[in-house]
PDB file of all heavy atoms in Angstrom:
ATOM      1  N   GLN X 167       0.837  -1.221   0.037  1.00 85.00           N
ATOM      2  CA  GLN X 167      -0.084  -0.070   0.020  1.00 85.00           C
ATOM      3  C   GLN X 167       0.879   1.261   0.020  1.00 85.00           C
ATOM      4  O   GLN X 167       0.479   2.297  -0.296  1.00 85.00           O
ATOM      5  CB  GLN X 167      -0.963  -0.099   1.335  1.00 85.00           C
ATOM      6  CG  GLN X 167      -2.005   1.065   1.246  1.00 85.00           C
ATOM      7  CD  GLN X 167      -2.963   0.919   2.438  1.00 85.00           C
ATOM      8  OE1 GLN X 167      -2.779  -0.107   3.201  1.00 85.00           O
ATOM      9  NE2 GLN X 167      -4.019   1.638   2.579  1.00 85.00           N
ATOM     10  N   ASN X 168       2.182   1.088   0.512  1.00 83.00           N
ATOM     11  CA  ASN X 168       2.988   2.208   0.503  1.00 83.00           C
ATOM     12  C   ASN X 168       2.664   3.278   1.504  1.00 83.00           C
ATOM     13  O   ASN X 168       2.675   4.453   1.182  1.00 83.00           O
ATOM     14  CB  ASN X 168       3.134   2.799  -0.967  1.00 83.00           C
ATOM     15  CG  ASN X 168       4.495   3.797  -0.893  1.00 83.00           C
ATOM     16  OD1 ASN X 168       5.385   3.596  -0.075  1.00 83.00           O
ATOM     17  ND2 ASN X 168       4.562   4.643  -1.911  1.00 83.00           N
ATOM     18  N   VAL X 169       2.166   2.918   2.671  1.00 77.00           N
ATOM     19  CA  VAL X 169       1.760   3.919   3.584  1.00 77.00           C
ATOM     20  C   VAL X 169       2.250   3.430   5.037  1.00 77.00           C
ATOM     21  O   VAL X 169       2.403   2.169   5.183  1.00 77.00           O
ATOM     22  CB  VAL X 169       0.321   4.135   3.697  1.00 77.00           C
ATOM     23  CG1 VAL X 169      -0.178   4.857   2.455  1.00 77.00           C
ATOM     24  CG2 VAL X 169      -0.461   2.864   4.068  1.00 77.00           C
ATOM     25  N   GLU X 170       2.436   4.261   5.915  1.00 71.00           N
ATOM     26  CA  GLU X 170       2.758   3.932   7.302  1.00 71.00           C
ATOM     27  C   GLU X 170       1.423   3.868   7.957  1.00 71.00           C
ATOM     28  O   GLU X 170       0.726   4.862   8.015  1.00 71.00           O
ATOM     29  CB  GLU X 170       3.717   4.979   8.003  1.00 71.00           C
ATOM     30  CG  GLU X 170       5.051   4.950   7.389  1.00 71.00           C
ATOM     31  CD  GLU X 170       5.856   3.685   7.902  1.00 71.00           C
ATOM     32  OE1 GLU X 170       5.415   2.855   8.679  1.00 71.00           O
ATOM     33  OE2 GLU X 170       7.115   3.609   7.360  1.00 71.00           O
ATOM     34  N   ARG X 171       0.850   2.719   8.392  1.00 63.00           N
ATOM     35  CA  ARG X 171      -0.458   2.559   8.859  1.00 63.00           C
ATOM     36  C   ARG X 171      -0.735   3.480  10.121  1.00 63.00           C
ATOM     37  O   ARG X 171      -1.901   3.649  10.421  1.00 63.00           O
ATOM     38  CB  ARG X 171      -0.765   1.110   9.131  1.00 63.00           C
ATOM     39  CG  ARG X 171      -0.923   0.223   7.856  1.00 63.00           C
ATOM     40  CD  ARG X 171      -1.735  -0.912   8.274  1.00 63.00           C
ATOM     41  NE  ARG X 171      -1.475  -2.007   7.290  1.00 63.00           N
ATOM     42  CZ  ARG X 171      -1.771  -3.214   7.489  1.00 63.00           C
ATOM     43  NH1 ARG X 171      -2.369  -3.598   8.697  1.00 63.00           N
ATOM     44  NH2 ARG X 171      -1.765  -4.183   6.581  1.00 63.00           N
ATOM     45  N   GLU X 172       0.284   3.737  11.004  1.00 57.00           N
ATOM     46  CA  GLU X 172      -0.011   4.325  12.217  1.00 57.00           C
ATOM     47  C   GLU X 172      -0.083   5.926  11.900  1.00 57.00           C
ATOM     48  O   GLU X 172      -0.442   6.790  12.903  1.00 57.00           O
ATOM     49  CB  GLU X 172       1.154   4.181  13.033  1.00 57.00           C
ATOM     50  CG  GLU X 172       2.583   4.602  12.485  1.00 57.00           C
ATOM     51  CD  GLU X 172       3.286   3.500  11.925  1.00 57.00           C
ATOM     52  OE1 GLU X 172       2.685   2.625  11.246  1.00 57.00           O
ATOM     53  OE2 GLU X 172       4.580   3.544  11.987  1.00 57.00           O
ATOM     54  N   ASP X 173      -0.117   6.399  10.657  1.00 53.00           N
ATOM     55  CA  ASP X 173      -0.318   7.736  10.337  1.00 53.00           C
ATOM     56  C   ASP X 173      -1.747   7.874   9.713  1.00 53.00           C
ATOM     57  O   ASP X 173      -2.044   7.086   8.945  1.00 53.00           O
ATOM     58  CB  ASP X 173       0.782   8.273   9.383  1.00 53.00           C
ATOM     59  CG  ASP X 173       2.050   8.299  10.182  1.00 53.00           C
ATOM     60  OD1 ASP X 173       2.171   8.702  11.178  1.00 53.00           O
ATOM     61  OD2 ASP X 173       3.163   7.789   9.332  1.00 53.00           O
ATOM     62  N   ASP X 174      -2.272   8.973   9.909  1.00 50.00           N
ATOM     63  CA  ASP X 174      -3.691   9.443   9.424  1.00 50.00           C
ATOM     64  C   ASP X 174      -3.476  10.578   8.589  1.00 50.00           C
ATOM     65  O   ASP X 174      -2.623  11.479   8.746  1.00 50.00           O
ATOM     66  CB  ASP X 174      -4.538   9.594  10.644  1.00 50.00           C
ATOM     67  CG  ASP X 174      -5.143   8.367  11.259  1.00 50.00           C
ATOM     68  OD1 ASP X 174      -4.985   7.258  10.525  1.00 50.00           O
ATOM     69  OD2 ASP X 174      -5.690   8.415  12.269  1.00 50.00           O
ATOM     70  N   PRO X 175      -4.539  10.766   7.623  1.00 52.00           N
ATOM     71  CA  PRO X 175      -4.401  12.018   6.769  1.00 52.00           C
ATOM     72  C   PRO X 175      -4.576  13.205   7.680  1.00 52.00           C
ATOM     73  O   PRO X 175      -5.300  13.153   8.725  1.00 52.00           O
ATOM     74  CB  PRO X 175      -5.675  11.724   5.950  1.00 52.00           C
ATOM     75  CG  PRO X 175      -5.909  10.277   5.930  1.00 52.00           C
ATOM     76  CD  PRO X 175      -5.524   9.818   7.259  1.00 52.00           C
ATOM     77  N   PRO X 176      -4.105  14.318   7.298  1.00 52.00           N
ATOM     78  CA  PRO X 176      -3.265  14.591   6.041  1.00 52.00           C
ATOM     79  C   PRO X 176      -1.916  14.133   6.059  1.00 52.00           C
ATOM     80  O   PRO X 176      -1.158  14.342   5.112  1.00 52.00           O
ATOM     81  CB  PRO X 176      -3.462  16.039   5.823  1.00 52.00           C
ATOM     82  CG  PRO X 176      -3.504  16.563   7.297  1.00 52.00           C
ATOM     83  CD  PRO X 176      -4.235  15.570   8.087  1.00 52.00           C
ATOM     84  N   ARG X 177      -1.360  13.644   7.318  1.00 58.00           N
ATOM     85  CA  ARG X 177      -0.009  13.238   7.338  1.00 58.00           C
ATOM     86  C   ARG X 177       0.158  11.881   7.019  1.00 58.00           C
ATOM     87  O   ARG X 177       0.007  10.951   7.962  1.00 58.00           O
ATOM     88  CB  ARG X 177       0.456  13.452   8.855  1.00 58.00           C
ATOM     89  CG  ARG X 177       2.006  13.264   9.031  1.00 58.00           C
ATOM     90  CD  ARG X 177       2.347  13.530  10.553  1.00 58.00           C
ATOM     91  NE  ARG X 177       3.799  13.236  10.748  1.00 58.00           N
ATOM     92  CZ  ARG X 177       4.199  12.016  11.282  1.00 58.00           C
ATOM     93  NH1 ARG X 177       3.220  11.136  11.514  1.00 58.00           N
ATOM     94  NH2 ARG X 177       5.397  11.811  11.544  1.00 58.00           N
ATOM     95  N   VAL X 178       0.451  11.441   5.760  1.00 64.00           N
ATOM     96  CA  VAL X 178       0.630  10.116   5.393  1.00 64.00           C
ATOM     97  C   VAL X 178       1.940   9.907   4.797  1.00 64.00           C
ATOM     98  O   VAL X 178       2.405  10.447   3.808  1.00 64.00           O
ATOM     99  CB  VAL X 178      -0.470   9.771   4.241  1.00 64.00           C
ATOM    100  CG1 VAL X 178      -0.358   8.372   3.818  1.00 64.00           C
ATOM    101  CG2 VAL X 178      -1.908  10.063   4.764  1.00 64.00           C
ATOM    102  N   LEU X 179       2.625   9.050   5.608  1.00 72.00           N
ATOM    103  CA  LEU X 179       4.060   8.798   5.215  1.00 72.00           C
ATOM    104  C   LEU X 179       4.162   7.541   4.256  1.00 72.00           C
ATOM    105  O   LEU X 179       3.502   6.646   4.457  1.00 72.00           O
ATOM    106  CB  LEU X 179       4.903   8.526   6.542  1.00 72.00           C
ATOM    107  CG  LEU X 179       5.022   9.682   7.414  1.00 72.00           C
ATOM    108  CD1 LEU X 179       5.920   9.238   8.726  1.00 72.00           C
ATOM    109  CD2 LEU X 179       5.640  10.948   6.828  1.00 72.00           C
ATOM    110  N   GLN X 180       5.005   7.775   3.301  1.00 77.00           N
ATOM    111  CA  GLN X 180       5.152   6.623   2.335  1.00 77.00           C
ATOM    112  C   GLN X 180       6.474   5.862   2.616  1.00 77.00           C
ATOM    113  O   GLN X 180       7.418   6.396   3.276  1.00 77.00           O
ATOM    114  CB  GLN X 180       5.246   7.207   0.877  1.00 77.00           C
ATOM    115  CG  GLN X 180       4.069   7.805   0.385  1.00 77.00           C
ATOM    116  CD  GLN X 180       4.114   8.207  -1.012  1.00 77.00           C
ATOM    117  OE1 GLN X 180       5.181   8.796  -1.493  1.00 77.00           O
ATOM    118  NE2 GLN X 180       2.940   7.985  -1.759  1.00 77.00           N
ATOM    119  N   ARG X 181       6.393   4.593   2.402  1.00 78.00           N
ATOM    120  CA  ARG X 181       7.525   3.680   2.602  1.00 78.00           C
ATOM    121  C   ARG X 181       8.614   3.687   1.543  1.00 78.00           C
ATOM    122  O   ARG X 181       9.710   3.403   1.822  1.00 78.00           O
ATOM    123  CB  ARG X 181       7.024   2.259   2.860  1.00 78.00           C
ATOM    124  CG  ARG X 181       6.157   2.106   4.165  1.00 78.00           C
ATOM    125  CD  ARG X 181       5.600   0.735   4.273  1.00 78.00           C
ATOM    126  NE  ARG X 181       4.999   0.396   5.577  1.00 78.00           N
ATOM    127  CZ  ARG X 181       5.591  -0.178   6.524  1.00 78.00           C
ATOM    128  NH1 ARG X 181       6.741  -0.625   6.401  1.00 78.00           N
ATOM    129  NH2 ARG X 181       4.910  -0.242   7.738  1.00 78.00           N
ATOM    130  N   TRP X 182       8.121   3.910   0.355  1.00 75.00           N
ATOM    131  CA  TRP X 182       9.125   3.892  -0.755  1.00 75.00           C
ATOM    132  C   TRP X 182       8.612   5.000  -1.831  1.00 75.00           C
ATOM    133  O   TRP X 182       7.563   5.338  -1.818  1.00 75.00           O
ATOM    134  CB  TRP X 182       9.154   2.525  -1.347  1.00 75.00           C
ATOM    135  CG  TRP X 182       7.933   1.746  -1.532  1.00 75.00           C
ATOM    136  CD1 TRP X 182       7.279   0.849  -0.588  1.00 75.00           C
ATOM    137  CD2 TRP X 182       6.945   1.752  -2.666  1.00 75.00           C
ATOM    138  NE1 TRP X 182       6.193   0.435  -1.027  1.00 75.00           N
ATOM    139  CE2 TRP X 182       5.866   0.882  -2.338  1.00 75.00           C
ATOM    140  CE3 TRP X 182       6.891   2.489  -3.822  1.00 75.00           C
ATOM    141  CZ2 TRP X 182       4.832   0.698  -3.194  1.00 75.00           C
ATOM    142  CZ3 TRP X 182       5.768   2.301  -4.749  1.00 75.00           C
ATOM    143  CH2 TRP X 182       4.870   1.395  -4.356  1.00 75.00           C
ATOM    144  N   ASP X 183       9.662   5.346  -2.683  1.00 79.00           N
ATOM    145  CA  ASP X 183       9.445   6.353  -3.618  1.00 79.00           C
ATOM    146  C   ASP X 183       8.807   5.651  -4.878  1.00 79.00           C
ATOM    147  O   ASP X 183       9.325   4.909  -5.551  1.00 79.00           O
ATOM    148  CB  ASP X 183      10.767   6.975  -3.938  1.00 79.00           C
ATOM    149  CG  ASP X 183      10.652   8.080  -5.045  1.00 79.00           C
ATOM    150  OD1 ASP X 183       9.497   8.322  -5.616  1.00 79.00           O
ATOM    151  OD2 ASP X 183      11.564   8.828  -5.266  1.00 79.00           O
ATOM    152  N   ALA X 184       7.437   6.029  -5.202  1.00 77.00           N
ATOM    153  CA  ALA X 184       6.741   5.397  -6.194  1.00 77.00           C
ATOM    154  C   ALA X 184       7.245   5.803  -7.615  1.00 77.00           C
ATOM    155  O   ALA X 184       6.879   5.088  -8.652  1.00 77.00           O
ATOM    156  CB  ALA X 184       5.219   5.781  -6.173  1.00 77.00           C
ATOM    157  N   THR X 185       8.078   6.793  -7.791  1.00 78.00           N
ATOM    158  CA  THR X 185       8.622   7.124  -8.989  1.00 78.00           C
ATOM    159  C   THR X 185       9.840   6.365  -9.311  1.00 78.00           C
ATOM    160  O   THR X 185      10.359   6.320 -10.459  1.00 78.00           O
ATOM    161  CB  THR X 185       9.104   8.588  -9.085  1.00 78.00           C
ATOM    162  OG1 THR X 185       9.972   8.833  -8.073  1.00 78.00           O
ATOM    163  CG2 THR X 185       7.752   9.473  -8.723  1.00 78.00           C
ATOM    164  N   ARG X 186      10.382   5.545  -8.358  1.00 83.00           N
ATOM    165  CA  ARG X 186      11.673   4.837  -8.654  1.00 83.00           C
ATOM    166  C   ARG X 186      11.485   3.399  -8.400  1.00 83.00           C
ATOM    167  O   ARG X 186      12.406   2.594  -8.907  1.00 83.00           O
ATOM    168  CB  ARG X 186      12.624   5.371  -7.705  1.00 83.00           C
ATOM    169  CG  ARG X 186      13.029   6.877  -7.897  1.00 83.00           C
ATOM    170  CD  ARG X 186      14.197   7.250  -7.041  1.00 83.00           C
ATOM    171  NE  ARG X 186      14.649   8.645  -7.253  1.00 83.00           N
ATOM    172  CZ  ARG X 186      15.624   9.208  -6.593  1.00 83.00           C
ATOM    173  NH1 ARG X 186      16.375   8.549  -5.820  1.00 83.00           N
ATOM    174  NH2 ARG X 186      15.796  10.512  -6.909  1.00 83.00           N
ATOM    175  N   THR X 187      10.429   2.894  -7.631  1.00 81.00           N
ATOM    176  CA  THR X 187      10.416   1.574  -7.354  1.00 81.00           C
ATOM    177  C   THR X 187       8.982   1.172  -7.148  1.00 81.00           C
ATOM    178  O   THR X 187       8.061   1.892  -7.445  1.00 81.00           O
ATOM    179  CB  THR X 187      11.370   1.191  -6.021  1.00 81.00           C
ATOM    180  OG1 THR X 187      11.314  -0.255  -5.842  1.00 81.00           O
ATOM    181  CG2 THR X 187      10.722   1.869  -4.778  1.00 81.00           C
ATOM    182  N   ASN X 188       8.773  -0.112  -6.662  1.00 87.00           N
ATOM    183  CA  ASN X 188       7.453  -0.513  -6.286  1.00 87.00           C
ATOM    184  C   ASN X 188       7.429  -1.528  -5.053  1.00 87.00           C
ATOM    185  O   ASN X 188       8.540  -1.666  -4.543  1.00 87.00           O
ATOM    186  CB  ASN X 188       6.887  -1.412  -7.551  1.00 87.00           C
ATOM    187  CG  ASN X 188       7.703  -2.501  -7.887  1.00 87.00           C
ATOM    188  OD1 ASN X 188       8.125  -3.396  -6.938  1.00 87.00           O
ATOM    189  ND2 ASN X 188       8.039  -2.740  -9.175  1.00 87.00           N
ATOM    190  N   GLY X 189       6.322  -1.928  -4.704  1.00 87.00           N
ATOM    191  CA  GLY X 189       6.085  -2.601  -3.436  1.00 87.00           C
ATOM    192  C   GLY X 189       7.018  -3.850  -3.306  1.00 87.00           C
ATOM    193  O   GLY X 189       7.529  -4.168  -2.328  1.00 87.00           O
ATOM    194  N   LEU X 190       7.021  -4.703  -4.418  1.00 89.00           N
ATOM    195  CA  LEU X 190       7.756  -5.935  -4.350  1.00 89.00           C
ATOM    196  C   LEU X 190       9.299  -5.745  -4.371  1.00 89.00           C
ATOM    197  O   LEU X 190       9.965  -6.380  -3.558  1.00 89.00           O
ATOM    198  CB  LEU X 190       7.311  -6.778  -5.547  1.00 89.00           C
ATOM    199  CG  LEU X 190       5.997  -7.438  -5.514  1.00 89.00           C
ATOM    200  CD1 LEU X 190       5.652  -8.066  -6.990  1.00 89.00           C
ATOM    201  CD2 LEU X 190       5.997  -8.313  -4.426  1.00 89.00           C
ATOM    202  N   VAL X 191       9.669  -4.765  -5.131  1.00 90.00           N
ATOM    203  CA  VAL X 191      11.101  -4.379  -5.030  1.00 90.00           C
ATOM    204  C   VAL X 191      11.509  -3.896  -3.597  1.00 90.00           C
ATOM    205  O   VAL X 191      12.513  -4.279  -3.085  1.00 90.00           O
ATOM    206  CB  VAL X 191      11.568  -3.382  -6.105  1.00 90.00           C
ATOM    207  CG1 VAL X 191      12.960  -2.911  -5.989  1.00 90.00           C
ATOM    208  CG2 VAL X 191      11.215  -4.026  -7.460  1.00 90.00           C
ATOM    209  N   HIS X 192      10.653  -3.002  -3.139  1.00 90.00           N
ATOM    210  CA  HIS X 192      10.934  -2.606  -1.619  1.00 90.00           C
ATOM    211  C   HIS X 192      11.033  -3.751  -0.708  1.00 90.00           C
ATOM    212  O   HIS X 192      11.882  -3.840   0.130  1.00 90.00           O
ATOM    213  CB  HIS X 192       9.780  -1.520  -1.223  1.00 90.00           C
ATOM    214  CG  HIS X 192      10.038  -1.041  -0.035  1.00 90.00           C
ATOM    215  ND1 HIS X 192      11.047  -0.161   0.401  1.00 90.00           N
ATOM    216  CD2 HIS X 192       9.405  -1.328   1.344  1.00 90.00           C
ATOM    217  CE1 HIS X 192      10.988   0.099   1.685  1.00 90.00           C
ATOM    218  NE2 HIS X 192       9.974  -0.496   2.209  1.00 90.00           N
ATOM    219  N   LEU X 193      10.118  -4.688  -0.904  1.00 91.00           N
ATOM    220  CA  LEU X 193      10.015  -5.808   0.050  1.00 91.00           C
ATOM    221  C   LEU X 193      11.269  -6.649  -0.119  1.00 91.00           C
ATOM    222  O   LEU X 193      12.007  -6.969   0.865  1.00 91.00           O
ATOM    223  CB  LEU X 193       8.906  -6.785  -0.284  1.00 91.00           C
ATOM    224  CG  LEU X 193       8.674  -8.045   0.466  1.00 91.00           C
ATOM    225  CD1 LEU X 193       8.575  -7.767   1.936  1.00 91.00           C
ATOM    226  CD2 LEU X 193       7.711  -9.005  -0.137  1.00 91.00           C
ATOM    227  N   GLU X 194      11.790  -7.010  -1.358  1.00 90.00           N
ATOM    228  CA  GLU X 194      13.049  -7.644  -1.619  1.00 90.00           C
ATOM    229  C   GLU X 194      14.202  -6.873  -0.970  1.00 90.00           C
ATOM    230  O   GLU X 194      15.097  -7.528  -0.431  1.00 90.00           O
ATOM    231  CB  GLU X 194      13.173  -7.822  -3.113  1.00 90.00           C
ATOM    232  CG  GLU X 194      12.195  -8.860  -3.645  1.00 90.00           C
ATOM    233  CD  GLU X 194      12.228  -8.889  -5.086  1.00 90.00           C
ATOM    234  OE1 GLU X 194      12.879  -7.987  -5.768  1.00 90.00           O
ATOM    235  OE2 GLU X 194      11.400  -9.706  -5.743  1.00 90.00           O
ATOM    236  N   THR X 195      14.170  -5.546  -1.103  1.00 90.00           N
ATOM    237  CA  THR X 195      15.279  -4.703  -0.585  1.00 90.00           C
ATOM    238  C   THR X 195      15.330  -4.896   0.992  1.00 90.00           C
ATOM    239  O   THR X 195      16.501  -5.003   1.649  1.00 90.00           O
ATOM    240  CB  THR X 195      15.127  -3.305  -0.929  1.00 90.00           C
ATOM    241  OG1 THR X 195      15.214  -3.147  -2.335  1.00 90.00           O
ATOM    242  CG2 THR X 195      16.297  -2.480  -0.433  1.00 90.00           C
ATOM    243  N   ARG X 196      14.100  -4.768   1.633  1.00 88.00           N
ATOM    244  CA  ARG X 196      14.123  -4.890   2.966  1.00 88.00           C
ATOM    245  C   ARG X 196      14.606  -6.322   3.494  1.00 88.00           C
ATOM    246  O   ARG X 196      15.153  -6.341   4.662  1.00 88.00           O
ATOM    247  CB  ARG X 196      12.660  -4.560   3.459  1.00 88.00           C
ATOM    248  CG  ARG X 196      12.300  -3.135   3.510  1.00 88.00           C
ATOM    249  CD  ARG X 196      12.887  -2.286   4.663  1.00 88.00           C
ATOM    250  NE  ARG X 196      12.562  -2.788   5.911  1.00 88.00           N
ATOM    251  CZ  ARG X 196      11.526  -2.501   6.678  1.00 88.00           C
ATOM    252  NH1 ARG X 196      10.697  -1.514   6.150  1.00 88.00           N
ATOM    253  NH2 ARG X 196      11.230  -3.011   7.834  1.00 88.00           N
ATOM    254  N   LEU X 197      14.121  -7.271   2.968  1.00 90.00           N
ATOM    255  CA  LEU X 197      14.520  -8.724   3.261  1.00 90.00           C
ATOM    256  C   LEU X 197      16.068  -8.763   2.998  1.00 90.00           C
ATOM    257  O   LEU X 197      16.675  -9.508   4.018  1.00 90.00           O
ATOM    258  CB  LEU X 197      13.798  -9.579   2.396  1.00 90.00           C
ATOM    259  CG  LEU X 197      12.268  -9.757   2.602  1.00 90.00           C
ATOM    260  CD1 LEU X 197      11.597 -10.766   1.503  1.00 90.00           C
ATOM    261  CD2 LEU X 197      11.999 -10.406   4.084  1.00 90.00           C
ATOM    262  N   ALA X 198      16.593  -8.187   2.076  1.00 88.00           N
ATOM    263  CA  ALA X 198      18.017  -8.396   2.006  1.00 88.00           C
ATOM    264  C   ALA X 198      18.776  -7.586   3.088  1.00 88.00           C
ATOM    265  O   ALA X 198      19.876  -8.065   3.677  1.00 88.00           O
ATOM    266  CB  ALA X 198      18.439  -7.773   0.606  1.00 88.00           C
ATOM    267  N   ALA X 199      18.215  -6.346   3.486  1.00 87.00           N
ATOM    268  CA  ALA X 199      18.749  -5.727   4.592  1.00 87.00           C
ATOM    269  C   ALA X 199      18.768  -6.480   5.974  1.00 87.00           C
ATOM    270  O   ALA X 199      19.516  -6.146   6.810  1.00 87.00           O
ATOM    271  CB  ALA X 199      18.064  -4.198   4.670  1.00 87.00           C
ATOM    272  N   ALA X 200      17.801  -7.388   6.010  1.00 86.00           N
ATOM    273  CA  ALA X 200      17.709  -8.127   7.315  1.00 86.00           C
ATOM    274  C   ALA X 200      18.598  -9.106   7.467  1.00 86.00           C
ATOM    275  O   ALA X 200      18.720  -9.870   8.528  1.00 86.00           O
ATOM    276  CB  ALA X 200      16.255  -8.657   7.297  1.00 86.00           C
ATOM    277  N   GLY X 201      19.431  -9.441   6.347  1.00 84.00           N
ATOM    278  CA  GLY X 201      20.459 -10.287   6.482  1.00 84.00           C
ATOM    279  C   GLY X 201      20.077 -11.823   6.043  1.00 84.00           C
ATOM    280  O   GLY X 201      18.996 -12.071   5.521  1.00 84.00           O
ATOM    281  N   ASP X 202      20.956 -12.670   6.159  1.00 86.00           N
ATOM    282  CA  ASP X 202      20.823 -14.090   5.900  1.00 86.00           C
ATOM    283  C   ASP X 202      19.985 -14.697   7.008  1.00 86.00           C
ATOM    284  O   ASP X 202      20.434 -15.366   7.945  1.00 86.00           O
ATOM    285  CB  ASP X 202      22.134 -14.878   5.572  1.00 86.00           C
ATOM    286  CG  ASP X 202      23.007 -14.272   4.572  1.00 86.00           C
ATOM    287  OD1 ASP X 202      22.349 -13.620   3.655  1.00 86.00           O
ATOM    288  OD2 ASP X 202      24.335 -14.422   4.608  1.00 86.00           O
ATOM    289  N   ALA X 203      18.743 -14.810   6.652  1.00 88.00           N
ATOM    290  CA  ALA X 203      17.750 -15.291   7.706  1.00 88.00           C
ATOM    291  C   ALA X 203      16.475 -16.007   7.007  1.00 88.00           C
ATOM    292  O   ALA X 203      16.301 -15.711   5.810  1.00 88.00           O
ATOM    293  CB  ALA X 203      17.239 -14.249   8.700  1.00 88.00           C
ATOM    294  N   ALA X 204      15.925 -17.021   7.685  1.00 93.00           N
ATOM    295  CA  ALA X 204      14.858 -17.628   7.155  1.00 93.00           C
ATOM    296  C   ALA X 204      13.584 -16.586   7.182  1.00 93.00           C
ATOM    297  O   ALA X 204      13.619 -15.660   8.075  1.00 93.00           O
ATOM    298  CB  ALA X 204      14.347 -18.696   7.970  1.00 93.00           C
ATOM    299  N   ILE X 205      12.656 -16.637   6.252  1.00 95.00           N
ATOM    300  CA  ILE X 205      11.592 -15.652   6.194  1.00 95.00           C
ATOM    301  C   ILE X 205      10.318 -16.443   6.750  1.00 95.00           C
ATOM    302  O   ILE X 205      10.023 -17.567   6.394  1.00 95.00           O
ATOM    303  CB  ILE X 205      11.203 -15.263   4.750  1.00 95.00           C
ATOM    304  CG1 ILE X 205      12.368 -14.596   4.061  1.00 95.00           C
ATOM    305  CG2 ILE X 205      10.021 -14.333   4.641  1.00 95.00           C
ATOM    306  CD1 ILE X 205      12.118 -14.378   2.562  1.00 95.00           C
ATOM    307  N   VAL X 206       9.737 -15.924   7.620  1.00 97.00           N
ATOM    308  CA  VAL X 206       8.579 -16.378   8.399  1.00 97.00           C
ATOM    309  C   VAL X 206       7.392 -15.549   7.900  1.00 97.00           C
ATOM    310  O   VAL X 206       7.131 -14.460   8.292  1.00 97.00           O
ATOM    311  CB  VAL X 206       8.673 -16.416   9.900  1.00 97.00           C
ATOM    312  CG1 VAL X 206       7.312 -16.934  10.498  1.00 97.00           C
ATOM    313  CG2 VAL X 206       9.829 -17.241  10.235  1.00 97.00           C
ATOM    314  N   TRP X 207       6.504 -16.238   6.904  1.00 97.00           N
ATOM    315  CA  TRP X 207       5.312 -15.595   6.508  1.00 97.00           C
ATOM    316  C   TRP X 207       4.208 -15.847   7.539  1.00 97.00           C
ATOM    317  O   TRP X 207       3.874 -17.003   7.526  1.00 97.00           O
ATOM    318  CB  TRP X 207       4.950 -15.994   5.158  1.00 97.00           C
ATOM    319  CG  TRP X 207       6.061 -16.026   4.107  1.00 97.00           C
ATOM    320  CD1 TRP X 207       6.906 -17.074   3.954  1.00 97.00           C
ATOM    321  CD2 TRP X 207       6.468 -14.989   3.270  1.00 97.00           C
ATOM    322  NE1 TRP X 207       7.863 -16.663   3.099  1.00 97.00           N
ATOM    323  CE2 TRP X 207       7.575 -15.362   2.522  1.00 97.00           C
ATOM    324  CE3 TRP X 207       5.967 -13.777   2.891  1.00 97.00           C
ATOM    325  CZ2 TRP X 207       8.256 -14.734   1.528  1.00 97.00           C
ATOM    326  CZ3 TRP X 207       6.515 -13.011   1.991  1.00 97.00           C
ATOM    327  CH2 TRP X 207       7.724 -13.496   1.304  1.00 97.00           C
ATOM    328  N   GLU X 208       3.634 -14.956   8.260  1.00 96.00           N
ATOM    329  CA  GLU X 208       2.755 -15.373   9.307  1.00 96.00           C
ATOM    330  C   GLU X 208       1.298 -14.938   8.758  1.00 96.00           C
ATOM    331  O   GLU X 208       1.164 -13.644   8.689  1.00 96.00           O
ATOM    332  CB  GLU X 208       3.116 -14.654  10.677  1.00 96.00           C
ATOM    333  CG  GLU X 208       2.009 -15.134  11.852  1.00 96.00           C
ATOM    334  CD  GLU X 208       2.685 -14.912  13.177  1.00 96.00           C
ATOM    335  OE1 GLU X 208       3.858 -15.244  13.328  1.00 96.00           O
ATOM    336  OE2 GLU X 208       1.915 -14.447  13.999  1.00 96.00           O
TER     337      GLU X 208
END
């Protein structure tokens, strides 16, 4: 969704730059930053 859920309008923070990337690429980037670890999809 590219939003920080704890924020309400009009202050809506985005997690990634929509002009440069997308949600799946951002997810892959975050997982890579977390290091060599198992992914637990809960």
Side-chain angles (χ1 to χ4, degrees):
Q167 193 176 359
N168 195 20
V169 296
E170 296 286 356
R171 289 201 199 164
E172 59 267 30
D173 294 316
D174 280 344
R177 181 177 179 269
V178 180
L179 299 181
Q180 294 185 320
R181 291 173 172 262
W182 40 269
D183 184 351
T185 64
R186 298 184 178 183
T187 186
N188 59 52
L190 286 174
V191 172
H192 178 75
L193 175 67
E194 293 169 355
T195 302
R196 286 285 304 270
L197 290 173
D202 297 337
I205 304 175
V206 178
W207 313 87
E208 179 158 324

